[in-house]
Amino acid sequence: MKRVSVIVSTYSTDRLSYVLSCIASLKKQSLLPHEVILVLDPDEDLVKFYKSHIPEDVRIIISDGYGLSNARNAGVKASRGEIIAFIDDDAVADRDWLKNLVKNYDDPYVIGAGGLIKPVWKGGRPSWFPEELDWIVGCSYKGLPECRCIVRNPIGCNMSFLRDVFEKVGYFNAEVGRIGKKLLASEETDFSLRALRKIPDSKIIHDPSVIVYHRVPRGRANLRYLMRRSFYEGYSKALIVKYGSKQSCSLSTENRYLKYLLRNALPSRLIRFFEFKSLSQLLTLLLSTFLVFIGYIYGRTISRVQ
């Protein structure tokens, strides 16, 4: 059986409780990882802090630069497993996470796999926040496939790739990844597109039995965060196009999602617009979609100028 290296990264001492909970869930797996790697930003105080709080059997690696993509790349380069799995520092893994994840690699054409990310809302989900927008808080969203299937890319909080994919394709592009609280995203999309393009007959699997639980703090359950994240999502998609992923499938997932919104999500609220919950969710969906579009146009405009 292939060995699995699990990579977790963090950038703040404030996230210690999250990191410890995440690591604890990895140590309780029905299939234990070969190693757990915690990647830290290159901050001397941050490194010193975590070295004094993290279990000794967790490998601590210092990233070459700031940001999520740089951290993931450092973890990949330091890892020893044949499968490299990623989980966010504020998520916890289901007990059978790795067991179910590894099964997908029995298929020799599978180069990557991911699964379901269930939100855990602190204080409960706001009534105006529709499930179709759970991607805003880094979770699986309504409109994604509900069964095991081939996808363009996994979601970063719950994803994995074979080690040799990085050797053939390169690493995550730090220009499209998140840095601290700057809400850029889609580095996993960019990487997946490059991998699928370069490795013939390869495929990436979405498996809903591969489950992690992602905390959603109150600071993300507000309209201001939703607006910022929506804008940056559009901007990130423009960067995907800029950095060489102009083939017709590059935004295929987004096109299918938009069709789902137009055919299902919006009409279902529209026919019940007299209900406060339906009306507020309808307006939220429209606002988010508009801001994604604005972010995309802005990103494409900036790309042409540069």
Side-chain angles (χ1 to χ4, degrees):
M1 181 174 288
K2 292 181 174 66
R3 300 174 300 171
V4 184
S5 297
V6 180
I7 296 174
V8 186
S9 62
T10 196
Y11 60 91
S12 171
T13 57
D14 294 338
R15 301 175 77 82
L16 175 63
S17 62
Y18 293 164
V19 173
L20 291 176
S21 295
C22 179
I23 291 173
S25 74
L26 298 176
K27 291 187 174 186
K28 295 175 182 177
Q29 291 292 295
S30 55
L31 173 66
L32 291 173
H34 174 68
E35 61 182 349
V36 177
I37 298 173
L38 176 65
V39 186
L40 303 173
D41 279 352
D43 180 296
E44 186 175 336
D45 292 334
L46 183 73
V47 174
K48 184 178 179 180
F49 175 83
Y50 276 100
K51 281 187 174 180
S52 64
H53 289 85
I54 296 300
E56 292 183 359
D57 56 347
V58 175
R59 294 179 62 199
I60 292 181
I61 301 297
I62 304 172
S63 177
D64 294 331
Y66 290 91
L68 184 56
S69 293
N70 282 321
R72 286 173 172 167
N73 291 340
V76 171
K77 293 172 185 177
S79 63
R80 300 161 183 159
E82 290 81 28
I83 299 172
I84 305 187
F86 302 87
I87 183 172
D88 283 5
D89 61 352
D90 53 356
V92 294
D94 179 79
R95 187 174 183 275
D96 292 325
W97 177 56
L98 288 182
K99 177 183 175 182
N100 292 334
L101 181 68
V102 168
K103 290 178 181 177
N104 290 285
Y105 291 97
D106 291 340
D107 183 337
Y109 294 103
V110 170
I111 62 169
L116 197 61
I117 305 165
K118 296 185 177 184
V120 181
W121 296 84
K122 187 172 184 179
R125 175 191 293 273
S127 62
W128 54 266
F129 201 114
E131 293 180 27
E132 288 86 351
L133 294 182
D134 280 359
W135 56 266
I136 285 175
V137 293
C139 296
S140 299
Y141 51 91
K142 192 172 183 179
L144 272 179
E146 296 181 1
C147 59
R148 185 179 182 275
C149 61
I150 297 173
V151 292
R152 182 193 63 188
N153 64 275
I155 299 176
C157 177
N158 181 7
M159 68 175 177
S160 65
F161 293 96
L162 292 174
R163 159 181 287 288
D164 61 9
V165 176
F166 294 95
E167 296 170 357
K168 294 175 182 177
V169 177
Y171 298 91
F172 295 107
N173 184 351
E175 296 297 324
V176 297
R178 184 167 300 192
I179 301 177
K181 297 182 180 180
K182 188 176 181 181
L183 301 181
L184 289 173
S186 297
E187 65 271 23
E188 61 268 23
T189 303
D190 173 76
F191 178 81
S192 297
L193 284 166
R194 287 188 280 123
L196 292 170
R197 184 169 66 243
K198 190 160 187 176
I199 304 173
D201 301 318
S202 60
K203 53 188 176 181
I204 296 171
I205 300 297
H206 168 70
D207 184 346
S209 72
V210 179
I211 302 170
V212 303
Y213 301 90
H214 195 189
R215 291 181 177 85
V216 183
R218 286 192 176 93
R220 294 188 181 184
N222 62 69
L223 197 58
R224 183 169 179 268
Y225 182 85
L226 180 142
M227 292 172 66
R228 290 181 62 230
R229 180 67 182 86
S230 297
F231 175 84
Y232 275 110
E233 180 68 12
Y235 186 27
S236 298
K237 298 309 178 187
L239 293 179
I240 292 297
V241 176
K242 174 183 176 181
Y243 286 106
S245 297
K246 297 181 180 179
Q247 64 268 40
S248 60
C249 68
S250 61
L251 297 181
S252 58
T253 299
E254 289 73 21
N255 291 335
R256 282 194 296 270
Y257 173 69
L258 181 58
K259 289 179 181 178
Y260 174 82
L261 291 182
L262 294 174
R263 294 174 180 175
N264 300 93
L266 294 176
S268 69
R269 270 83 173 186
L270 191 58
I271 62 175
R272 300 194 309 273
F273 74 94
F274 51 86
E275 299 175 5
F276 174 78
K277 181 178 179 180
S278 293
L279 178 60
S280 61
Q281 290 191 1
L282 174 64
L283 294 175
T284 303
L285 284 165
L286 290 172
L287 176 62
S288 175
T289 303
F290 173 73
L291 289 172
V292 170
F293 176 74
I294 293 298
Y296 180 78
I297 295 300
Y298 175 78
R300 295 293 287 142
T301 303
I302 294 296
S303 297
R304 293 190 185 101
V305 171
Q306 291 176 342

